[in-house]
Amino acid sequence: ARIHAQLDAGAQDIETLQADFRAHADALLPLISSAHGEVSGPSFDREGDFSVEDAHTALQHLAVALPVEQWRWYVISGTFLGIVREGGFLAHDYDIDVGVTFDPERPEVLDRLVEALGRSQRFVVKKLDHAQTVIETGPSRFAVERAPALVKLIHENGINVDVFVHHLEGGRIWHGSSIHRWENSPFDLADYTLAGVPVLGPADADRYLTENYGDWRTPVTQFNCTTGTPNLVITRSFRSVALFLTRLAHFAHGDPAEYAKLRATLVEEGMLRDVNGILRLERDI
């Protein structure tokens, strides 16, 4: 289940950190606001960096390391989009995305899954990521709520495989990382085939893909998981907010289209306010 770690910092310390963070953000945001996505250099289309043949091999070896009948993992995101729209992997994809559902009554199952992957000679477990949220547990007492979120794998041929841990919470199912969080309607699983490998995936493909991508039937060769996913939910943490502001600053000086999309997302999600064209950090961050 989720792990709660008590923080030594009192309420005054947290308030000091918040004030310092906000002061730096308020100094940066007017500079980002005035850039308006101006292009500072030439723009190039991203070259394809996904070997479909290597992806086939990695998926086959994943099915050996984690037999789907036992572990009930399922393909998600761009990997699932490839099955439904193109009958295979997307040629311009980055990695293989799969999901597993976390059972809070049996948290040890996830540990056993990681152990099974660790025994495979085909994969290296690169990273175990957790979603973290600071919550107030009482007067001058805080705790960090940590939920397992992501197991990052590298196949021996270099293909990256992201195993996202899905959590059911408040009538929604979410997955993500220490930075991102994406939410979907709960979904049942159905049988699919990818690269000749039997896999599972969301049964209602249209609903799932529409929540993830909007118009999923139209191919997009340049995709950003931050600006191209309608189901992104901004995580309220210093680390997450700092990363999004950094990305917004980067786009502001080189990519007008991505700047406009990310700016709109951060305003719509309530992380930023647009005050007469100048961005401000929301008060509850």
Side-chain angles (χ1 to χ4, degrees):
R2 294 183 177 178
I3 302 170
H4 291 261
Q6 294 297 321
L7 297 178
D8 293 331
Q12 186 174 359
D13 298 313
I14 295 296
E15 291 173 358
T16 300
L17 289 173
Q18 288 176 328
D20 184 62
F21 184 87
R22 186 174 297 282
H24 284 84
D26 285 345
L28 175 65
L29 282 168
L31 300 177
I32 298 177
S33 305
S34 63
H36 296 299
E38 296 171 358
V39 178
S40 58
S43 178
F44 300 96
D45 289 339
R46 180 177 64 83
E47 296 181 359
D49 56 358
F50 190 82
S51 167
V52 172
E53 182 178 350
D54 286 346
H56 287 177
T57 301
L59 181 68
Q60 290 165 353
H61 289 161
L62 181 66
V64 172
L66 298 176
V68 70
E69 299 85 358
Q70 176 183 354
W71 296 101
R72 303 292 292 176
W73 55 270
Y74 39 90
V75 291
I76 62 168
S77 303
T79 306
F80 184 62
L81 174 62
I83 293 178
V84 177
R85 194 178 68 198
E86 301 182 14
F89 286 105
L90 299 176
H92 58 273
D93 209 344
Y94 293 92
D95 51 23
I96 298 175
D97 292 319
V98 304
V100 294
T101 301
F102 184 75
D103 183 354
E105 300 298 325
R106 302 175 61 205
E108 71 280 358
V109 172
L110 183 60
D111 294 331
R112 292 203 297 266
L113 181 145
V114 174
E115 291 171 0
L117 290 169
R119 290 193 297 269
S120 171
Q121 298 182 3
R122 304 291 189 177
F123 294 96
V124 172
V125 179
K126 180 182 178 182
K127 183 180 181 182
L128 303 177
D129 206 1
H130 288 76
Q132 303 185 47
T133 305
V134 177
I135 60 174
E136 188 171 3
T137 60
S140 301
R141 293 190 63 80
F142 297 85
V144 175
E145 187 178 69
R146 304 175 71 241
L150 173 63
V151 182
K152 294 190 72 70
L153 309 174
I154 301 179
H155 187 263
E156 61 184 0
N157 63 18
I159 290 292
N160 289 281
V161 180
D162 286 345
V163 182
F164 285 98
V165 183
H166 287 59
H167 299 263
L168 184 62
E169 183 178 292
R172 303 285 289 172
I173 190 166
W174 68 268
H175 72 283
S177 65
S178 59
I179 302 298
H180 295 90
R181 174 175 170 134
W182 294 278
E183 292 188 356
N184 287 95
S185 304
F187 50 82
D188 295 324
L189 297 175
D191 294 320
Y192 296 88
T193 300
L194 177 58
V197 178
V199 297
L200 297 171
D204 190 339
D206 179 67
R207 183 177 70 172
Y208 176 82
L209 293 174
T210 299
E211 290 178 350
N212 279 32
Y213 304 108
D215 179 16
W216 59 269
R217 293 177 175 83
T218 302
V220 175
T221 57
Q222 291 192 12
F223 177 77
N224 186 299
C225 68
T226 299
T227 60
T229 49
N231 62 335
L232 175 69
V233 176
I234 304 300
T235 301
R236 263 48 176 198
S237 68
F238 291 146
R239 182 180 181 186
S240 181
V241 172
L243 177 64
F244 279 115
L245 292 183
T246 300
R247 288 181 177 173
L248 189 64
H250 172 74
F251 291 148
H253 293 281
D255 196 327
E258 290 299 305
Y259 171 82
K261 288 192 291 185
L262 181 56
R263 177 175 175 145
T265 296
L266 298 181
V267 171
E268 290 171 5
E269 278 293 311
M271 194 185 99
L272 300 178
R273 288 179 294 125
D274 189 329
V275 182
N276 298 322
I278 302 299
L279 296 173
R280 291 284 186 265
L281 204 60
E282 276 290 2
R283 294 292 99 187
D284 60 348
I285 298 298

